[in-house]
Amino acid sequence: MEIRDVKPFEIEPVRQFLCANGWAHRVGNADEFAALVRASQRTAVAIGPAGEVLGFARAITDGMSNGYLSMVAVSPFQRRKGIGRRLVGHIIGSNSDITWVLRAGRDGASEFFEALGFTVSTIAMERSRA
C-alpha cells in the first residue's frame, strides 16, 4: 500500500470511493469535488496493490501556524490496519508549530483522533453551514 498526495487523475476515483463510503452527501457533484481537492493545501490517498483507493484525507492550512483536517475516510474493510493513522500523518507532517483542528462527529472518530494525540478543545467555536 502507498500513501501519497492525490494526483489529478485520481480525483474522480477518490470521489467514487467517498460516495461508496458514506460521503455522497458532501462529494456528489464531480466538478465541485475536484475544485474542493484543488483548493486543499494538503491531500493524501491510500492506494492498494491493485491500484484501488483504500482511503483519503484532505486539509487546509497556512503551513505555519494553523491547519484544519477536513476529511479522513478509510474503507470499512481496511480499518484498524493503520491506514487512517498514516493518512493523518501524511497530512499533518512534522511541523510541530502547526495547531491542527478537526470536527470528530462520526462514530469512533473521537477515539481515533485521541489515539493520534488530538484533545477536545475548550476554546474552539464553529459556524455551521446551512
Side-chain angles (χ1 to χ4, degrees):
M1 183 199 47
E2 180 181 13
I3 304 283
R4 58 174 163 69
D5 293 349
V6 175
K7 295 178 180 176
F9 69 87
E10 294 169 324
I11 292 174
E12 181 56 18
V14 165
R15 189 188 73 80
Q16 291 175 10
F17 162 81
L18 291 168
C19 285
N21 287 282
W23 290 86
H25 65 291
R26 298 295 303 142
V27 302
N29 181 294
D31 292 333
E32 287 179 9
F33 180 68
L36 199 72
V37 171
R38 285 191 303 271
S40 301
Q41 286 83 18
R42 298 193 185 175
T43 63
V45 65
I47 301 293
E52 72 278 25
V53 176
L54 302 176
F56 171 74
R58 74 176 194 92
I60 54 177
T61 181
D62 56 26
M64 298 170 58
S65 179
N66 298 299
Y68 172 66
L69 185 57
S70 176
M71 182 182 291
V72 178
V74 175
S75 168
F77 305 107
Q78 298 296 324
R79 291 183 186 158
R80 307 206 57 78
K81 297 180 180 180
I83 295 172
R85 176 180 295 274
R86 289 183 60 196
L87 288 167
V88 172
H90 184 86
I91 292 288
I92 65 174
S94 61
N95 185 344
S96 61
D97 291 333
I98 299 175
T99 297
W100 288 93
V101 297
L102 56 88
R103 296 171 69 200
R106 293 186 176 243
D107 288 341
S110 292
E111 295 82 3
F112 170 74
F113 288 109
E114 285 173 357
L116 298 180
F118 286 82
T119 58
V120 175
S121 174
T122 58
I123 60 171
M125 299 177 75
E126 82 177 314
R127 180 177 171 192
S128 297
R129 63 180 74 87

